[in-house]
Amino acid sequence: MKKQLNIGFAESLISRENPYLQYDELEKIILQNKALDLICFPELYLISDSKSKYINENILNDIFDRIDYLSNTYNIAISYGSILPENDKLFIAQIVSIPNKSRIVYKKTHLGKNELSTFSVGDQLFTFEYKSFTLGIQLCIETHIPELTTIQRLKGANIIIAPFNTPLSASKRIDLWKKYIPTRSYDNQCFFLCNNFYGGQLITSPSGKILFESCKSTTQSFTIEYQTLNSKTDFLKYRRPELYNNLL
């Protein structure tokens, strides 16, 4: 039985430090794309300046609630990045508002060297359900760590949302994705949905094919279809974790 999901990407940047301005842009994009099932905004989309005066739990929760309202009203899941203050620490978080469900909050578990001086690491890997799909999240550098995709696939993920925040041109970012994202998809039999703060979108299929790529900064959309895996191509069933653990 085929499953289908209408995906959108958007990355309009109005302000790095004022999440209210970014929210206004997000709302405008949602209103223009109400037919989508899921729209993906990049890593740190809502606020990316760690010194911003708006990094305050009350302010950000107010904006998160507004995005939840949009999600519920228009029946669309909204994935977006933000700095997240919590217990005197700052996290890089990806948040997903799901219609009429509790929002998903993923705190980046692997940080780049330039992030370590400012942000704390999250300590939870998980998957979540939406419209008959199981989704996982990886942020930027995390896509380079093969174990993350394997773990999420073993947890049932058939889609990985992969938002980035790297200062590369869209074309360079896509060229780098093409070096390894199709392999991640193929070996783990899952879709990857990649988009970058500075431009560039890519979707790869469970067979490792590039389904969609774009350098355009306007909102882009694509429909993915998923069919139950053929057991002959489910490579994870051949794993021998007891062997690997003995070698560590």
Side-chain angles (χ1 to χ4, degrees), residues 3 6 13 45 48 55 73-74 79 91 97 113-114 131 136 138 147 155 159 170 182 186 201 218 222 225:
K3 308 172 188 177
N6 297 316
L13 174 62
Y45 173 82
S48 56
I55 297 178
T73 301
Y74 299 108
S79 168
F91 295 90
S97 293
K113 62 181 180 180
N114 293 330
K131 285 190 178 288
Q138 296 177 23
E147 291 93 336
K155 288 178 172 290
I159 295 177
Y186 178 71
Q201 302 102 25
T218 55
F222 187 84
E225 290 187 346

Side-chain angles (χ1 to χ4, degrees), residues 182-222:
T183 301
R184 293 280 185 277
S185 285
Y186 178 71
D187 285 346
N188 295 280
Q189 299 288 287
C190 60
F191 293 94
F192 261 79
L193 312 179
C194 302
N195 65 322
N196 186 35
F197 196 102
Y198 296 85
Q201 302 102 25
L202 184 81
I203 297 177
T204 55
S205 75
S207 63
K209 292 181 179 179
I210 294 174
L211 300 178
F212 174 85
E213 64 177 280
S214 178
C215 293
K216 296 179 180 179
S217 59
T218 55
T219 304
Q220 304 291 303
S221 61
F222 187 84

Side-chain angles (χ1 to χ4, degrees), residues 58-85:
N58 291 331
I59 289 173
L60 290 173
N61 281 330
D62 173 53
I63 298 174
F64 298 163
D65 287 343
R66 295 184 189 197
I67 297 174
D68 287 346
Y69 177 80
L70 291 175
S71 173
N72 294 335
T73 301
Y74 299 108
N75 196 35
I76 179 173
I78 306 168
S79 168
Y80 60 97
S82 179
I83 293 173
L84 183 69

